[in-house]
Amino acid sequence: MRIIIINGPNLNMLGIREPEIYGRESYDDLVKYIERSAMEMGVEAECFQSNHEGELVTLIQRALGRADAIVINPAAYTHTSVAILDALKAVGLPAVEVHLSDVNAREEFRRVSYSSLACVAVVAGKGFAGYREAMELLLARGSDSRSSPAR
């Protein structure tokens, strides 16, 4: 199974930005964790990060025909981007939304997720381990699953 991992704005600042929420490990540490986890599961994973909404939409679109599934942490765009939602719906690949922090325990506005409407699951508040859980969920679903989103 090939999974595209897409990370949104400010995740490149991991280890610097609000370490009391996001921890002290860097984005490079996250990528290494994802790659190691994928290898242990026999999954091929490719990681991307962008601070630009349009680039995230392009990455989602490029996954079509190149990947079996998507793990996405849209970060702040989770709460604002219909464009990311529409891109996820357009490609029709099984997707899992991931958040390092427990967004439901934070500010009220973070409890709204547009992108989750096109995802089969949401994993939040588990730090780096949330990415592994997301890949495990997708692996369990199988590479040929294209059923409608359910959470």
Side-chain angles (χ1 to χ4, degrees), residues 14-15 23 32 48-49 54 66-67 89 92 111 120-121 123 130-131 144:
L14 284 176
K32 288 175 188 168
F48 298 94
Q49 188 276 329
R66 292 182 50 219
K89 288 167 114 180
R111 296 178 190 154
V120 298
V123 179
Y131 286 84
D144 60 349

Side-chain angles (χ1 to χ4, degrees), residues 3-23:
I3 301 174
I4 301 292
I5 315 287
I6 300 172
N7 289 295
N10 297 311
L11 285 164
N12 60 309
M13 299 298 287
L14 284 176
I16 298 168
R17 176 184 175 226
E18 300 178 277
E20 67 281 2
I21 296 173
Y22 300 105

Side-chain angles (χ1 to χ4, degrees), residues 79 103-113:
H79 323 293
V103 290
N104 292 316
R106 296 181 63 195
E107 301 92 340
E108 184 76 24
F109 70 87
R110 293 188 195 273
R111 296 178 190 154
V112 173
S113 170

Side-chain angles (χ1 to χ4, degrees), residues 2-8 34 43 45-48 60 63 67-74 88 93-99 119 121 123 130-139:
R2 181 175 167 89
I3 301 174
I4 301 292
I5 315 287
I6 300 172
N7 289 295
I34 291 168
V43 170
E46 189 174 3
C47 296
F48 298 94
I60 293 165
D68 301 303
I70 297 171
V71 171
I72 185 164
N73 182 342
L88 289 167
L93 295 171
V96 175
E97 180 178 299
V98 173
H99 297 284
C119 292
V123 179
Y131 286 84
R132 183 180 185 106
E133 184 175 327
M135 290 188 290
E136 288 170 344
L137 287 167
L138 291 165
L139 189 58

